[in-house]
Amino acid sequence: MGHGWNVGSSLVEDLRPVSTFRQNCGAMSESPRTLPDGFETTDPRTGSRMVLLKGSDQMDGRGFVLEVHCPDGMPAAILEHVHTKWTETFKILYGSARYKLGGEEKTAGEGDTIVMPPMVKHIHPWNDGVGPMAYTQTVDCGEADPEAAYDIVGVFTTIHALSRVGKVNKKGLPRNPLQFGATLRTLVK
């Protein structure tokens, strides 16, 4: 097997946070799967906190709105990526941020709006200043996708749970290749 991945019994352990997330979301409806407004998750690695402000049920099934709080000096929480259909709009609520869009690193401050269109590589805002920074993130899926908030917030809840038990790498991504593949597949919509 020389690949260095332990996918035997540890797979069950690595995937347990997914099961826990689904079990703990008792307020979800059966079809489509949704999360209650106010659902939140905190990244133990960076200290950032994500709160669901509006789910797809309030966005005509086409997206969701998050509020993300970033502590002083928090680095980018997500690596550079691209979405095939989604447009993401970020509004800086307070503090100062840096972000990357189309290969160019830029700055933003309180009140600034950043639009990240589909098929353009980007990195979400990260804290560039002294003191906390927060932003809203509005996702337009480009088409009806009523489970998008459930899927995306579920990915981050899972990554945060894996981080708590030491199952992520230095970049905060799942160490298990199967979990990593499932995560990547969900994030690139």
Side-chain angles (χ1 to χ4, degrees), residues 43-114:
D43 184 344
R45 212 175 47 81
T46 65
S48 67
R49 184 170 55 93
M50 176 187 299
V51 181
L52 180 66
L53 297 181
K54 290 183 183 179
S56 59
D57 54 331
Q58 296 178 53
M59 305 282 291
D60 296 324
R62 290 181 52 99
F64 54 93
V65 180
L66 300 171
E67 186 171 282
V68 179
H69 298 264
C70 307
D72 184 22
M74 186 193 102
I78 301 174
L79 299 175
E80 189 170 41
H81 61 284
V82 64
H83 299 288
T84 58
K85 298 178 184 176
W86 293 6
T87 297
E88 295 177 298
T89 304
F90 299 86
K91 182 166 184 173
I92 307 300
L93 301 175
Y94 56 83
S96 61
R98 294 191 73 72
Y99 64 98
K100 193 170 180 182
L101 182 61
E104 195 175 326
E105 195 169 301
K106 301 178 180 189
T107 60
E110 184 174 331
D112 288 343
T113 298
I114 306 156

